[in-house]
Amino acid sequence: MTQLITTLAPAPRLRIWLGGLLVAVGAWLGAYLHLEDFADTMLAATGLDRGSRFSDAAHFFLYDTPKVLLLLTAIVFLVGVIQTFFSPERTRALLSGKRVGVGNVLAATLGIVTPFCSCSAVPLFIGFLSAGVPLGVTFSFLISAPMVNEVALVLLFGMFGWKVAALYLFMGLAVAMVSGFVIGKLKMERYLEDWVRAIQAGETQSVDGNAMSWVERFETGLGHVREIVGKVWPYVLAGIALGAGIHGYVPEDFMASIMGKDAPWWSVPIAVMIGVPMYTNAAGIIPVVEALIGKGAALGTVLAFMMSVIALSAPEMIILRKVLKPTLIATFAGVVATGILIVGYVFNAVL
Amino acid sequence: MKNVKVLGTGCANCKNTVKLLEEVAKAKGVDIQLEKLEDLQDIMRYGVMSTPGVVIDGKVVHAGGVPGRNKIESWFL
């Protein structure tokens, strides 16, 4: 079947894709509008009594799992397609020569839509600098790209609603913009490793990025779904199962005294300090976030914890050590951690 | 004989790229000399910003992510 499709001329292949997408969107909407019915039917099929603790937990699981997986698939596909318009080369071209300030805002925003893998962080970093992107602007990108990503946003939206997701988006962007801006103002260029500074402004070979057909863009989107959803679904299931268990059993104010709204002021810094050396992606940390919030922890404290886990990590520091001198790494970690702290306090105060 | 270099710092995608390149070359009966460049300074010399990158006979043909099988086959024609 795939063999057949790939040997067809581009136009019919596009038609197959568009037809397929139309069917998929219809099926998606149908499924999304009947989540409640699905959970009810499944629960009825097991013969459990409604109203018992266990059936409450089971219903929560049966409702949330398909919901989050549906959202994840749709958004990851969409982002995968959007990303084909923003290759790292293109993003760099957009950013080079931009002034500090405007550049920081643009860099943090582009961080959401530019494809990024943590193992590419260093080549990207050098590639940006050698093309004349200011150091602070480069940092804005480097902070935003892993932290504000579609998986984190979808999971937050699915589990806590759009307000929390939107707050996370804006706070994450703000941390990336301001941290990059501060690092730029500190004039830290001399703390780059010498060989990095020696690399001459970019004779980068451009790779066939822009001349993509829509069929290729859709195929990339599908590949993105396979890669991301294929990797994160176990975390999502684990997270929802944990959430379901907590939903049914654990008393709601379990964490309230240490991480709740009325907890001492030092609960936010402690959360960030625990989070920095930890490393996992957004999907891995969301189960923990869900569990903590379910037990009465304050949202700001938990989100600060989550940001520090995703944005700052020991393995990333070790990779960055190849291009940055220790002073600059320490500054980077310090500035970002401070930004996250402020976000934690603001969230706790506002909500 | 084609000289093929894979640029990457050793993440899972880079390993998959090497494996796929070997597989396709073997299936097509193309003779290749495969090298892996893991040193950052070597990688940067090719101006590649997103790894894994693929260089064939000194020319960068791909950067960022595991290349698709179709794409690899087109290099080995």
Side-chain angles (χ1 to χ4, degrees), chain A residues 6 88-89 92 119-120 122-124 126-128 195 199 204-205 207-208 322, chain B residues 9 11 13 40-41 44 46-51 59-63 70-71:
Chain A
T6 46
E89 287 77 14
R92 184 178 68 169
C119 40
S120 291
V122 166
L124 209 78
I126 299 170
F128 274 31
W195 70 271
I199 287 181
T204 341
Q205 308 192 32
V207 188
D208 53 350
K322 289 181 181 163
Chain B
T9 44
C11 51
N13 278 347
L40 269 174
Q41 303 195 32
M44 291 321 295
Y46 285 95
V48 164
M49 284 207 301
S50 37
T51 56
K59 194 175 173 300
V60 178
V61 292
H62 176 84
N70 293 350
K71 207 168 168 189

Side-chain angles (χ1 to χ4, degrees), chain A:
Chain A
M1 184 64 191
T2 40
Q3 207 60 31
L4 177 76
I5 293 176
T6 46
T7 50
L8 286 172
R13 273 173 72 200
L14 184 59
R15 235 168 283 154
I16 291 174
W17 258 105
L18 292 176
L21 277 179
L22 205 66
V23 174
V25 169
W28 191 95
L29 277 176
Y32 196 77
L33 293 173
H34 291 91
L35 286 171
E36 195 73 51
D37 302 337
F38 171 79
D40 289 343
T41 314
M42 290 298 281
L43 198 63
T46 61
L48 282 168
D49 281 345
R50 284 308 296 267
S52 74
R53 276 184 170 180
F54 184 75
S55 79
D56 260 9
H59 188 267
F60 181 86
F61 183 80
L62 289 171
Y63 175 76
D64 260 34
T65 308
K67 178 176 156 192
V68 170
L69 288 179
L70 278 172
L71 283 170
L72 201 61
T73 308
I75 300 289
V76 167
F77 179 76
L78 211 64
V79 171
V81 173
I82 293 173
Q83 282 184 349
T84 61
F85 292 93
F86 294 91
S87 66
E89 287 77 14
R90 180 108 187 259
T91 296
R92 184 178 68 169
L94 285 171
L95 288 177
S96 69
K98 280 284 176 306
R99 272 179 309 125
V100 175
V102 181
N104 293 101
V105 175
L106 197 61
T109 315
L110 286 170
I112 312 174
V113 288
T114 308
F116 177 83
C117 144
S118 57
C119 40
S120 291
V122 166
L124 209 78
F125 186 86
I126 299 170
F128 274 31
L129 286 180
S130 67
V133 179
L135 186 64
V137 176
T138 305
F139 265 111
S140 278
F141 179 85
L142 210 64
I143 296 164
S144 148
M147 185 165 65
V148 189
N149 68 61
E150 71 272 19
V151 176
L153 291 172
V154 166
L155 291 175
L156 288 174
F157 172 75
M159 291 177 178
F160 307 112
W162 69 270
K163 279 184 193 158
V164 173
L167 265 172
Y168 181 84
L169 171 66
F170 287 115
M171 290 298 186
L173 286 178
V175 167
M177 287 169 197
V178 175
S179 302
F181 184 76
V182 170
I183 291 171
K185 281 285 166 207
L186 291 173
K187 299 258 177 285
M188 308 284 289
E189 278 78 0
R190 65 177 179 284
Y191 295 108
L192 292 170
E193 284 295 337
D194 300 328
W195 70 271
V196 177
R197 277 189 292 174
I199 287 181
Q200 287 306 307
E203 274 302 306
T204 341
Q205 308 192 32
S206 66
V207 188
D208 53 350
N210 289 332
M212 262 181 139
S213 71
W214 273 99
V215 171
E216 283 172 297
R217 292 187 201 283
F218 289 145
E219 278 168 357
T220 309
L222 194 63
H224 200 234
V225 170
R226 245 186 249 130
E227 195 188 321
I228 306 276
V229 180
K231 201 163 60 187
V232 306
W233 71 265
Y235 296 102
V236 174
L237 285 195
I240 299 170
L242 202 66
I246 288 163
H247 189 76
Y249 294 97
V250 180
E252 297 241 311
D253 52 359
F254 193 74
M255 290 294 290
S257 59
I258 14 176
M259 283 180 88
K261 270 190 91 98
D262 303 316
W265 64 269
W266 45 258
S267 68
V268 181
I270 296 279
V272 172
M273 267 165 60
I274 297 172
V276 170
M278 285 178 63
Y279 175 65
T280 170
N281 53 19
I285 195 67
I286 299 265
V288 182
V289 167
E290 167 112 77
L292 291 173
I293 291 187
K295 290 179 190 175
L299 197 57
T301 313
V302 175
L303 285 186
F305 173 70
M306 176 178 164
M307 282 182 171
S308 64
V309 171
I310 308 179
L312 293 169
S313 68
E316 192 193 10
M317 305 284 164
I318 292 166
I319 297 177
L320 283 176
R321 177 65 193 90
K322 289 181 181 163
V323 286
L324 309 179
K325 291 182 180 163
T327 322
L328 184 46
I329 294 192
T331 311
F332 163 64
V335 169
V336 175
T338 311
I340 292 172
L341 267 185
I342 296 171
V343 164
Y345 284 124
V346 168
F347 258 87
N348 281 347
V350 169
L351 293 175

